[in-house]
Amino acid sequence: MSLPASPPRTPRARHAARSGQRWSGLGRWRAALPWALAGLLAALVALSLLAGSTDIGWRDVVAALAGPGGGAQADGAPAMAAAIVRDLRLPRVLLALAVGATLAMVGSLLQTTTRNDLADPFLFGLSSGASAGAVAVITLAGTALGTWTLPLATFAGALVAAAAVLLIVRGGEGQGAARIVLAGVSVSFLFGAFTHALIFTGDQRAAHSVVFWSLGGLGLARWDNLWLALAGLLVPALFVARRHRALDALLAGDDTAHSLGVDPRRLRTQTFVVAAFATACCVALTGLIGFVGLMVPHLARRWTGPLHGASTAAAAVMGAALLLGSDLAARTLLGAQELPVGIVTSGLGACFVIALLRRGDGGA
């Protein structure tokens, strides 16, 4: 007589069993995920165009989006509504979509290359480096290069942060995931200290504008700077489209990736450069917006699985929806006063991490 199978004894085995049960239960819902995300995104876009400090009716929104021929250019309230929708809210919506998708993809890439579920651009110093570059320009140099000043400064700061992490890791034995995490945390604190020193010793008249970079917001959205957000979105998207199989191989470990013809060190270096560029593009327009890159990849992988072709696409859509919804809450919670969107995402992110720890998935 055969003995009954014993239940999983180790925490990892129990987690694997729970994961298998979860996937069997979610299997029938996976086909409906794209439609659910599309519906959620469409609803958030519509609400973001309608709601704000000035409520605008849906007829005025449709007329504004229809252009000059839509009847929104008449004198009075319709013309004002058209200006608000087309010049303020629509660029803001597009910026939220692009930045949310970018941060989610960057978080997914960093979590794969470091094998750490709590990795995001902020943890590895990329956001802190980009913010330090922006603050240095604001407090010390002004706008010497015109509209290119902040983008170049943020990109330089993020690239220096990424290079510092890689140099610290290569200075010791190996390039394991744990070493990268520790190097990233140390670089993040270092650039944070540098930023605070700049604020304390720099021009105090610029201190108010510096607050924007530490709290995050979408108030700089304009038609003439959306190209920067689009560039930050396209670079990681194209990188994943080209290297998703190599990233999938990295999930099995460095030795397995080597056996499949993937160089883990080179792939990590490429990923950090791509993540630095994308993060810099976001920070140049929105400042520091935390936790989007941490939360969304977890949610995407729960629905699509770990392979990057599907999970990164789902993360991009979910990240866009999360940031757009957070911005909508930031603009409407306090009435006429706008709350920095970074406060909303940080609050959501803190609750998410607590939930992960309570479920025991923090190290999964």
Side-chain angles (χ1 to χ4, degrees):
M1 181 177 65
S2 60
L3 296 176
S6 59
R9 296 181 181 275
T10 65
R12 184 173 292 275
R14 289 195 297 269
H15 174 70
R18 290 197 305 268
S19 299
Q21 296 171 0
R22 182 175 65 240
W23 278 107
S24 62
L26 290 176
R28 60 180 177 272
W29 299 105
R30 291 177 63 187
L33 177 63
W35 299 103
L37 290 178
L40 175 63
L41 207 57
L44 289 173
V45 169
L47 288 174
S48 296
L49 294 176
L50 290 168
S53 58
T54 301
D55 290 331
I56 298 177
W58 67 268
R59 295 181 184 274
D60 291 331
V61 170
V62 172
L65 296 178
Q73 295 299 310
D75 294 336
M80 182 180 297
I84 293 175
V85 171
R86 284 205 302 266
D87 298 333
L88 297 178
R89 293 186 182 176
L90 186 56
R92 187 171 182 133
V93 166
L94 296 177
L95 180 61
L97 295 176
V99 171
T102 301
L103 293 177
M105 286 192 292
V106 170
S108 179
L109 290 174
L110 292 176
Q111 288 175 13
T112 294
T113 54
T114 62
R115 297 197 297 273
N116 187 294
D117 288 346
L118 298 181
D120 72 341
F122 184 80
L123 179 66
F124 289 94
L126 301 180
S127 295
S128 299
S131 179
V135 172
V137 167
I138 293 173
T139 57
L140 301 177
T143 57
L145 299 177
T147 57
W148 288 92
T149 303
L150 281 178
L152 289 175
T154 54
F155 177 65
L159 199 60
V160 169
V165 172
L166 295 176
L167 288 174
I168 292 173
V169 171
R170 290 184 178 180
E173 293 293 332
Q175 192 180 351
R179 289 180 58 83
I180 294 179
V181 172
L182 293 176
V185 171
S186 63
V187 169
S188 178
F189 277 105
L190 180 63
F191 274 100
F194 176 67
T195 301
H196 294 151
L198 287 175
I199 296 174
F200 183 77
T201 60
D203 186 358
Q204 295 302 310
R205 293 172 298 180
H208 179 73
S209 61
V210 168
V211 173
F212 169 82
W213 302 102
S214 61
L215 298 179
L218 301 172
L220 295 183
R222 300 191 311 269
W223 287 109
D224 60 352
N225 61 19
L226 285 180
W227 64 269
L228 188 60
L230 181 61
L233 174 64
L234 288 178
V235 169
L238 294 176
F239 178 76
V240 171
R242 184 176 179 180
R243 302 285 284 164
H244 67 93
R245 295 189 185 277
L247 292 167
D248 292 340
L250 199 61
L251 293 173
D254 289 3
D255 293 337
T256 303
H258 266 300
S259 67
L260 295 174
V262 177
D263 185 350
R265 174 172 293 186
R266 181 180 180 185
L267 183 59
R268 286 193 178 100
T269 301
Q270 293 172 346
T271 302
F272 268 81
V273 173
V274 169
F277 175 82
T279 303
C281 291
C282 295
V283 173
L285 297 176
T286 65
L288 292 179
I289 297 178
F291 286 101
V292 175
L294 187 153
M295 291 185 287
V296 176
H298 287 272
L299 301 175
R301 285 192 294 268
R302 285 179 180 271
W303 283 97
T304 65
L307 299 183
H308 291 80
S311 66
T312 307
V317 179
M318 290 180 177
L322 175 63
L323 188 55
L324 187 58
S326 299
D327 181 59
L328 178 63
R331 291 192 292 112
T332 57
L333 283 177
L334 299 183
Q337 186 177 1
E338 181 178 325
L339 189 68
V341 70
I343 295 178
V344 179
T345 59
S346 295
L348 293 174
C351 296
F352 180 80
V353 172
I354 292 173
L356 276 183
L357 295 175
R358 296 279 294 178
R359 291 172 56 90
D361 294 347

